Amino acid sequence: MGVTETAKSVIINTASGSSAEIYLFGATVTSWKAGGKERLFVSSKSALDGSKPIRGGIPVCFPIFGPPPSSPAEYASLSQHGFARNQTWKLDKIVMDRPEGVSIRFLAPSPPSSFQHAYKLAYVVTLTEHQLSTDVHIVNESEEQEFKFQALLHSYLAIPDSSKIKITGIDKQTNYKDKILDGQILQSDGGELVIDKPIDRVYQKVPSQEIHVDDGAGSGFKVRFRGFEDCTIWNPTEEVGKNIADMEDKGWERYVCIEPGYVREFKTLAPGEEFIGQQIITAL
């Protein structure tokens, strides 16, 4: 069997030797091994006991991304990145269990009582030899009211040295919000991105829907997304990273966050409507 349940997580394996571990807390993917290498970064200082969100892996941000908005009230009272990454999910079903690939589905619990919206939130994780696919499914279960949300997969991709990577795939003239520059809206020049200073950019409606990371050591990643239209790219470097309490020393040198999502605005679902946001990461 390619699926193993423990008290805290679910581990999936393929015949090729690839594996992934998903914590029930936050449905956070904490490990993905492909080609004999760990492909995700998790800080050694991260809490793994459910006391706070996991620092690393692939946290699920929902129903907001970033600081809460000023209104409406039930959104304004939320914590950073929403509550999904702080909830204990459950394994709902094994979608596929074959030697070449394994796919499992998780369901989120009900929202906090202060968040009065009827929705269903599911998360499907699929593993093959060289790919990890993570799909968010959101259904508005209200018969009368619209449901507004943001959703993002905060993926920490493991790399040997962030100062040597090159990021491509952002089309020229793609708008982005630069959080380092107080939220200014700027345009991409279409060139390679390098990490030589703190970067925290939300690229909006990325036409290619595909980002490439050359890790400078003959390997890297291809990140494709569908349904999700935006992509945040983040690395704090030492300038900001040294002030993150649960970030290990020099941890920022060993990851880059490539984060597909729908976050430039709120996505609105009509009663009964479904949203699917998909991320497919290929280890190169």
Side-chain angles (χ1 to χ4, degrees), residues 5 10 22-27 87-93 104-110 120-123:
E5 295 184 62
V10 180
I22 306 94
Y23 266 58
L24 296 175
F25 181 68
Q87 293 181 299
T88 299
W89 298 48
K90 69 176 182 180
L91 177 63
D92 177 50
K93 66 182 293 187
I104 56 179
R105 184 173 74 175
F106 297 87
L107 285 180
S110 300
K120 181 178 180 180
L121 173 60
Y123 189 46

Side-chain angles (χ1 to χ4, degrees), residues 32 130-132 220-224 280-284:
W32 169 37
H130 298 295
Q131 289 186 331
L132 181 72
F221 302 90
K222 177 174 68 176
V223 182
R224 294 175 56 219
I280 302 174
I281 311 174
T282 303
L284 303 176

Side-chain angles (χ1 to χ4, degrees), residues 2 13 32 41 106 144 147 165 170-171 185 215 217 236 249 257:
N13 295 272
W32 169 37
F41 170 87
F106 297 87
E144 301 177 352
F147 177 45
I165 70 172
I170 302 294
D171 307 79
I185 302 297
D215 71 4
D249 186 41
C257 284

Side-chain angles (χ1 to χ4, degrees), residues 109-159:
S110 300
S113 59
S114 59
F115 194 77
Q116 294 294 314
H117 293 278
Y119 66 84
K120 181 178 180 180
L121 173 60
Y123 189 46
V124 179
V125 179
T126 304
L127 177 72
T128 59
E129 183 176 3
H130 298 295
Q131 289 186 331
L132 181 72
S133 175
T134 49
D135 305 350
V136 174
H137 296 244
I138 302 162
V139 178
N140 180 6
E141 295 192 316
S142 172
E143 296 180 356
E144 301 177 352
Q145 297 184 346
E146 295 179 335
F147 177 45
K148 298 178 183 293
F149 66 89
Q150 295 175 323
L152 175 139
L153 297 176
H154 203 309
S155 308
Y156 288 72
L157 304 181
I159 52 177

Side-chain angles (χ1 to χ4, degrees), residues 16-186:
S16 65
S18 62
S19 67
E21 182 172 15
I22 306 94
Y23 266 58
L24 296 175
F25 181 68
T28 304
V29 183
T30 55
S31 175
W32 169 37
K33 294 177 182 176
K37 295 167 57 176
E38 176 58 64
R39 303 292 179 159
L40 298 177
F41 170 87
V42 176
S43 172
S44 61
K45 288 187 175 181
S46 177
L48 296 174
D49 59 1
S51 61
K52 61 185 299 187
I54 294 171
R55 172 67 70 183
I58 309 179
V60 178
C61 300
F62 172 89
I64 60 169
F65 170 64
S70 56
S71 65
E74 70 269 30
Y75 292 83
S77 63
L78 297 176
S79 59
Q80 170 110 338
H81 296 330
F83 49 73
R85 64 186 187 142
N86 290 301
Q87 293 181 299
T88 299
W89 298 48
K90 69 176 182 180
L91 177 63
D92 177 50
K93 66 182 293 187
I94 298 172
V95 179
M96 175 181 71
D97 186 0
R98 301 173 182 169
E100 67 273 18
V102 181
S103 183
I104 56 179
R105 184 173 74 175
F106 297 87
L107 285 180
S110 300
S113 59
S114 59
F115 194 77
Q116 294 294 314
H117 293 278
Y119 66 84
K120 181 178 180 180
L121 173 60
Y123 189 46
V124 179
V125 179
T126 304
L127 177 72
T128 59
E129 183 176 3
H130 298 295
Q131 289 186 331
L132 181 72
S133 175
T134 49
D135 305 350
V136 174
H137 296 244
I138 302 162
V139 178
N140 180 6
E141 295 192 316
S142 172
E143 296 180 356
E144 301 177 352
Q145 297 184 346
E146 295 179 335
F147 177 45
K148 298 178 183 293
F149 66 89
Q150 295 175 323
L152 175 139
L153 297 176
H154 203 309
S155 308
Y156 288 72
L157 304 181
I159 52 177
D161 185 344
S162 62
S163 69
K164 296 180 180 179
I165 70 172
K166 295 177 181 178
I167 302 168
T168 56
I170 302 294
D171 307 79
K172 189 175 182 179
Q173 296 184 325
T174 300
N175 287 341
Y176 66 91
K177 177 186 286 188
D178 195 321
K179 294 185 176 182
I180 301 296
L181 299 177
D182 299 321
Q184 288 185 45
I185 302 297
L186 304 171

